[in-house]
mmCIF file of all heavy atoms in Angstrom:
data_model
loop_
_atom_site.group_PDB
_atom_site.id
_atom_site.type_symbol
_atom_site.label_atom_id
_atom_site.label_comp_id
_atom_site.label_asym_id
_atom_site.label_seq_id
_atom_site.Cartn_x
_atom_site.Cartn_y
_atom_site.Cartn_z
ATOM 1 N N PRO A 78 0.792 -1.227 0.000
ATOM 2 C CA PRO A 78 0.000 0.000 0.000
ATOM 3 C C PRO A 78 0.828 1.282 0.000
ATOM 4 O O PRO A 78 0.459 2.261 -0.665
ATOM 5 C CB PRO A 78 -0.844 -0.118 1.268
ATOM 6 C CG PRO A 78 -1.027 -1.601 1.442
ATOM 7 C CD PRO A 78 0.280 -2.192 1.006
ATOM 8 N N ALA A 79 1.936 1.296 0.728
ATOM 9 C CA ALA A 79 2.777 2.494 0.748
ATOM 10 C C ALA A 79 3.351 2.763 -0.644
ATOM 11 O O ALA A 79 3.408 3.923 -1.091
ATOM 12 C CB ALA A 79 3.903 2.342 1.762
ATOM 13 N N ASP A 80 3.760 1.712 -1.343
ATOM 14 C CA ASP A 80 4.277 1.851 -2.711
ATOM 15 C C ASP A 80 3.174 2.340 -3.641
ATOM 16 O O ASP A 80 3.384 3.205 -4.496
ATOM 17 C CB ASP A 80 4.823 0.504 -3.177
ATOM 18 C CG ASP A 80 5.578 0.606 -4.503
ATOM 19 O OD1 ASP A 80 5.716 1.725 -5.037
ATOM 20 O OD2 ASP A 80 6.035 -0.437 -5.005
ATOM 21 N N THR A 81 1.966 1.792 -3.458
ATOM 22 C CA THR A 81 0.837 2.205 -4.295
ATOM 23 C C THR A 81 0.506 3.676 -4.092
ATOM 24 O O THR A 81 0.267 4.410 -5.059
ATOM 25 C CB THR A 81 -0.399 1.340 -3.977
ATOM 26 O OG1 THR A 81 -0.114 -0.032 -4.288
ATOM 27 C CG2 THR A 81 -1.604 1.793 -4.796
ATOM 28 N N ARG A 82 0.505 4.137 -2.852
ATOM 29 C CA ARG A 82 0.227 5.549 -2.587
ATOM 30 C C ARG A 82 1.259 6.452 -3.251
ATOM 31 O O ARG A 82 0.918 7.506 -3.799
ATOM 32 C CB ARG A 82 0.187 5.797 -1.073
ATOM 33 C CG ARG A 82 -1.065 5.274 -0.385
ATOM 34 C CD ARG A 82 -1.174 5.810 1.026
ATOM 35 N NE ARG A 82 -0.111 5.320 1.880
ATOM 36 C CZ ARG A 82 -0.171 4.190 2.580
ATOM 37 N NH1 ARG A 82 -1.250 3.426 2.495
ATOM 38 N NH2 ARG A 82 0.827 3.815 3.357
ATOM 39 N N GLU A 83 2.506 6.041 -3.235
ATOM 40 C CA GLU A 83 3.550 6.829 -3.872
ATOM 41 C C GLU A 83 3.353 6.863 -5.383
ATOM 42 O O GLU A 83 3.560 7.900 -6.029
ATOM 43 C CB GLU A 83 4.917 6.246 -3.527
ATOM 44 C CG GLU A 83 6.102 6.849 -4.290
ATOM 45 C CD GLU A 83 6.227 8.360 -4.099
ATOM 46 O OE1 GLU A 83 5.750 8.880 -3.070
ATOM 47 O OE2 GLU A 83 6.802 9.022 -4.983
ATOM 48 N N ARG A 84 2.940 5.746 -5.963
ATOM 49 C CA ARG A 84 2.700 5.704 -7.411
ATOM 50 C C ARG A 84 1.499 6.566 -7.792
ATOM 51 O O ARG A 84 1.496 7.201 -8.858
ATOM 52 C CB ARG A 84 2.494 4.257 -7.869
ATOM 53 C CG ARG A 84 3.777 3.435 -7.841
ATOM 54 C CD ARG A 84 3.508 1.953 -8.046
ATOM 55 N NE ARG A 84 4.737 1.187 -7.891
ATOM 56 C CZ ARG A 84 5.489 0.777 -8.892
ATOM 57 N NH1 ARG A 84 5.142 1.030 -10.144
ATOM 58 N NH2 ARG A 84 6.592 0.084 -8.664
ATOM 59 N N VAL A 85 0.484 6.594 -6.946
ATOM 60 C CA VAL A 85 -0.663 7.473 -7.188
ATOM 61 C C VAL A 85 -0.214 8.927 -7.151
ATOM 62 O O VAL A 85 -0.603 9.745 -7.996
ATOM 63 C CB VAL A 85 -1.772 7.221 -6.150
ATOM 64 C CG1 VAL A 85 -2.855 8.293 -6.247
ATOM 65 C CG2 VAL A 85 -2.396 5.838 -6.350
ATOM 66 N N ARG A 86 0.622 9.267 -6.170
ATOM 67 C CA ARG A 86 1.113 10.645 -6.067
ATOM 68 C C ARG A 86 1.944 11.018 -7.289
ATOM 69 O O ARG A 86 1.786 12.115 -7.851
ATOM 70 C CB ARG A 86 1.969 10.789 -4.798
ATOM 71 C CG ARG A 86 2.423 12.223 -4.522
ATOM 72 C CD ARG A 86 3.598 12.270 -3.583
ATOM 73 N NE ARG A 86 4.783 11.647 -4.170
ATOM 74 C CZ ARG A 86 5.564 12.230 -5.080
ATOM 75 N NH1 ARG A 86 5.270 13.445 -5.533
ATOM 76 N NH2 ARG A 86 6.605 11.599 -5.573
ATOM 77 N N ARG A 87 2.777 10.091 -7.747
ATOM 78 C CA ARG A 87 3.693 10.375 -8.845
ATOM 79 C C ARG A 87 2.971 10.457 -10.194
ATOM 80 O O ARG A 87 3.319 11.271 -11.046
ATOM 81 C CB ARG A 87 4.773 9.291 -8.900
ATOM 82 C CG ARG A 87 5.926 9.584 -9.861
ATOM 83 C CD ARG A 87 6.846 8.385 -9.973
ATOM 84 N NE ARG A 87 7.036 7.713 -8.695
ATOM 85 C CZ ARG A 87 7.319 6.419 -8.567
ATOM 86 N NH1 ARG A 87 7.434 5.656 -9.643
ATOM 87 N NH2 ARG A 87 7.485 5.882 -7.370
ATOM 88 N N HIS A 88 1.974 9.594 -10.378
ATOM 89 C CA HIS A 88 1.314 9.493 -11.687
ATOM 90 C C HIS A 88 -0.128 9.990 -11.650
ATOM 91 O O HIS A 88 -0.909 9.690 -12.567
ATOM 92 C CB HIS A 88 1.331 8.044 -12.172
ATOM 93 C CG HIS A 88 2.693 7.436 -12.274
ATOM 94 N ND1 HIS A 88 3.645 7.885 -13.159
ATOM 95 C CD2 HIS A 88 3.267 6.407 -11.576
ATOM 96 C CE1 HIS A 88 4.747 7.152 -13.026
ATOM 97 N NE2 HIS A 88 4.551 6.266 -12.070
ATOM 98 N N GLY A 89 -0.472 10.755 -10.610
ATOM 99 C CA GLY A 89 -1.869 11.135 -10.416
ATOM 100 C C GLY A 89 -2.524 11.801 -11.612
ATOM 101 O O GLY A 89 -3.642 11.445 -12.006
ATOM 102 N N ALA A 90 -1.858 12.782 -12.211
ATOM 103 C CA ALA A 90 -2.457 13.506 -13.339
ATOM 104 C C ALA A 90 -2.698 12.577 -14.515
ATOM 105 O O ALA A 90 -3.724 12.669 -15.199
ATOM 106 C CB ALA A 90 -1.547 14.662 -13.748
ATOM 107 N N LEU A 91 -1.763 11.680 -14.769
ATOM 108 C CA LEU A 91 -1.914 10.742 -15.879
ATOM 109 C C LEU A 91 -3.063 9.771 -15.605
ATOM 110 O O LEU A 91 -3.857 9.480 -16.504
ATOM 111 C CB LEU A 91 -0.617 9.968 -16.100
ATOM 112 C CG LEU A 91 -0.643 8.892 -17.199
ATOM 113 C CD1 LEU A 91 -0.998 9.515 -18.546
ATOM 114 C CD2 LEU A 91 0.696 8.171 -17.271
ATOM 115 N N LEU A 92 -3.164 9.267 -14.376
ATOM 116 C CA LEU A 92 -4.254 8.354 -14.034
ATOM 117 C C LEU A 92 -5.603 9.014 -14.279
ATOM 118 O O LEU A 92 -6.521 8.411 -14.838
ATOM 119 C CB LEU A 92 -4.151 7.923 -12.567
ATOM 120 C CG LEU A 92 -2.911 7.147 -12.137
ATOM 121 C CD1 LEU A 92 -3.005 6.784 -10.656
ATOM 122 C CD2 LEU A 92 -2.725 5.890 -12.972
ATOM 123 N N LEU A 93 -5.724 10.270 -13.857
ATOM 124 C CA LEU A 93 -6.977 10.992 -13.999
ATOM 125 C C LEU A 93 -7.300 11.230 -15.475
ATOM 126 O O LEU A 93 -8.432 11.005 -15.920
ATOM 127 C CB LEU A 93 -6.882 12.329 -13.262
ATOM 128 C CG LEU A 93 -8.189 13.067 -12.979
ATOM 129 C CD1 LEU A 93 -9.125 12.218 -12.151
ATOM 130 C CD2 LEU A 93 -7.895 14.387 -12.282
ATOM 131 N N ALA A 94 -6.307 11.673 -16.246
ATOM 132 C CA ALA A 94 -6.532 11.946 -17.665
ATOM 133 C C ALA A 94 -6.887 10.675 -18.422
ATOM 134 O O ALA A 94 -7.838 10.648 -19.221
ATOM 135 C CB ALA A 94 -5.285 12.598 -18.270
ATOM 136 N N MET A 95 -6.148 9.606 -18.180
ATOM 137 C CA MET A 95 -6.413 8.337 -18.858
ATOM 138 C C MET A 95 -7.815 7.829 -18.552
ATOM 139 O O MET A 95 -8.543 7.380 -19.450
ATOM 140 C CB MET A 95 -5.384 7.280 -18.428
ATOM 141 C CG MET A 95 -4.020 7.415 -19.059
ATOM 142 S SD MET A 95 -2.885 6.112 -18.476
ATOM 143 C CE MET A 95 -3.769 4.616 -18.989
ATOM 144 N N THR A 96 -8.208 7.896 -17.286
ATOM 145 C CA THR A 96 -9.503 7.356 -16.877
ATOM 146 C C THR A 96 -10.642 8.129 -17.507
ATOM 147 O O THR A 96 -11.625 7.545 -17.981
ATOM 148 C CB THR A 96 -9.627 7.384 -15.346
ATOM 149 O OG1 THR A 96 -8.581 6.581 -14.779
ATOM 150 C CG2 THR A 96 -10.969 6.830 -14.894
ATOM 151 N N ARG A 97 -10.529 9.439 -17.555
ATOM 152 C CA ARG A 97 -11.603 10.247 -18.135
ATOM 153 C C ARG A 97 -11.713 10.044 -19.644
ATOM 154 O O ARG A 97 -12.812 9.965 -20.188
ATOM 155 C CB ARG A 97 -11.372 11.717 -17.801
ATOM 156 C CG ARG A 97 -11.647 12.025 -16.326
ATOM 157 C CD ARG A 97 -11.290 13.437 -15.956
ATOM 158 N NE ARG A 97 -11.683 13.731 -14.580
ATOM 159 C CZ ARG A 97 -11.343 14.834 -13.922
ATOM 160 N NH1 ARG A 97 -10.583 15.754 -14.521
ATOM 161 N NH2 ARG A 97 -11.742 15.034 -12.682
ATOM 162 N N VAL A 98 -10.572 9.945 -20.319
ATOM 163 C CA VAL A 98 -10.595 9.691 -21.759
ATOM 164 C C VAL A 98 -11.166 8.312 -22.049
ATOM 165 O O VAL A 98 -11.994 8.127 -22.954
ATOM 166 C CB VAL A 98 -9.170 9.829 -22.352
ATOM 167 C CG1 VAL A 98 -9.132 9.319 -23.792
ATOM 168 C CG2 VAL A 98 -8.707 11.275 -22.295
ATOM 169 N N PHE A 99 -10.738 7.313 -21.268
ATOM 170 C CA PHE A 99 -11.244 5.951 -21.443
ATOM 171 C C PHE A 99 -12.752 5.901 -21.233
ATOM 172 O O PHE A 99 -13.488 5.316 -22.032
ATOM 173 C CB PHE A 99 -10.536 5.028 -20.451
ATOM 174 C CG PHE A 99 -11.084 3.625 -20.440
ATOM 175 C CD1 PHE A 99 -10.711 2.716 -21.418
ATOM 176 C CD2 PHE A 99 -11.984 3.219 -19.466
ATOM 177 C CE1 PHE A 99 -11.224 1.421 -21.425
ATOM 178 C CE2 PHE A 99 -12.493 1.933 -19.462
ATOM 179 C CZ PHE A 99 -12.115 1.037 -20.438
ATOM 180 N N HIS A 100 -13.231 6.515 -20.161
ATOM 181 C CA HIS A 100 -14.664 6.504 -19.838
ATOM 182 C C HIS A 100 -15.482 7.148 -20.953
ATOM 183 O O HIS A 100 -16.522 6.615 -21.366
ATOM 184 C CB HIS A 100 -14.874 7.243 -18.518
ATOM 185 C CG HIS A 100 -16.308 7.368 -18.112
ATOM 186 N ND1 HIS A 100 -17.089 6.285 -17.788
ATOM 187 C CD2 HIS A 100 -17.113 8.467 -17.958
ATOM 188 C CE1 HIS A 100 -18.301 6.697 -17.445
ATOM 189 N NE2 HIS A 100 -18.341 8.018 -17.558
ATOM 190 N N ALA A 101 -15.005 8.285 -21.456
ATOM 191 C CA ALA A 101 -15.726 8.977 -22.521
ATOM 192 C C ALA A 101 -15.812 8.127 -23.781
ATOM 193 O O ALA A 101 -16.805 8.177 -24.516
ATOM 194 C CB ALA A 101 -15.038 10.307 -22.827
ATOM 195 N N GLY A 102 -14.779 7.312 -24.024
ATOM 196 C CA GLY A 102 -14.732 6.527 -25.246
ATOM 197 C C GLY A 102 -15.466 5.214 -25.195
ATOM 198 O O GLY A 102 -15.837 4.670 -26.243
ATOM 199 N N ILE A 103 -15.722 4.690 -23.995
ATOM 200 C CA ILE A 103 -16.244 3.321 -23.928
ATOM 201 C C ILE A 103 -17.591 3.190 -23.229
ATOM 202 O O ILE A 103 -18.255 2.172 -23.355
ATOM 203 C CB ILE A 103 -15.224 2.394 -23.231
ATOM 204 C CG1 ILE A 103 -15.412 0.950 -23.712
ATOM 205 C CG2 ILE A 103 -15.321 2.504 -21.704
ATOM 206 C CD1 ILE A 103 -14.291 0.014 -23.309
ATOM 207 N N ALA A 104 -18.039 4.211 -22.504
ATOM 208 C CA ALA A 104 -19.263 4.079 -21.712
ATOM 209 C C ALA A 104 -20.470 3.713 -22.566
ATOM 210 O O ALA A 104 -21.276 2.851 -22.197
ATOM 211 C CB ALA A 104 -19.527 5.369 -20.939
ATOM 212 N N GLY A 105 -20.612 4.361 -23.723
ATOM 213 C CA GLY A 105 -21.737 4.061 -24.590
ATOM 214 C C GLY A 105 -21.732 2.628 -25.072
ATOM 215 O O GLY A 105 -22.773 1.960 -25.126
ATOM 216 N N GLU A 106 -20.556 2.117 -25.418
ATOM 217 C CA GLU A 106 -20.440 0.731 -25.878
ATOM 218 C C GLU A 106 -20.810 -0.242 -24.758
ATOM 219 O O GLU A 106 -21.463 -1.264 -25.002
ATOM 220 C CB GLU A 106 -19.018 0.460 -26.357
ATOM 221 C CG GLU A 106 -18.748 -0.982 -26.761
ATOM 222 C CD GLU A 106 -19.541 -1.443 -27.975
ATOM 223 O OE1 GLU A 106 -19.934 -0.596 -28.789
ATOM 224 O OE2 GLU A 106 -19.787 -2.660 -28.097
ATOM 225 N N ILE A 107 -20.400 0.069 -23.539
ATOM 226 C CA ILE A 107 -20.755 -0.784 -22.401
ATOM 227 C C ILE A 107 -22.264 -0.837 -22.225
ATOM 228 O O ILE A 107 -22.855 -1.896 -21.987
ATOM 229 C CB ILE A 107 -20.083 -0.277 -21.112
ATOM 230 C CG1 ILE A 107 -18.566 -0.442 -21.201
ATOM 231 C CG2 ILE A 107 -20.624 -1.008 -19.894
ATOM 232 C CD1 ILE A 107 -18.093 -1.872 -21.320
#
């Protein structure tokens, strides 16, 4: 968990951007 929290802190902006782009592209298909 400590490693995961650090990875979230380090890559937070990318995680957020990727997730929003993915959701916008696939929600309708789901």
Side-chain angles (χ1 to χ4, degrees):
D80 189 2
T81 298
R82 286 192 294 272
E83 172 58 25
R84 289 169 185 262
V85 170
R86 186 199 65 78
R87 189 187 321 152
H88 303 295
L91 177 59
L92 298 181
L93 196 59
M95 283 180 59
T96 300
R97 288 174 175 171
V98 170
F99 174 80
H100 177 65
I103 206 168
E106 176 65 25
I107 293 297

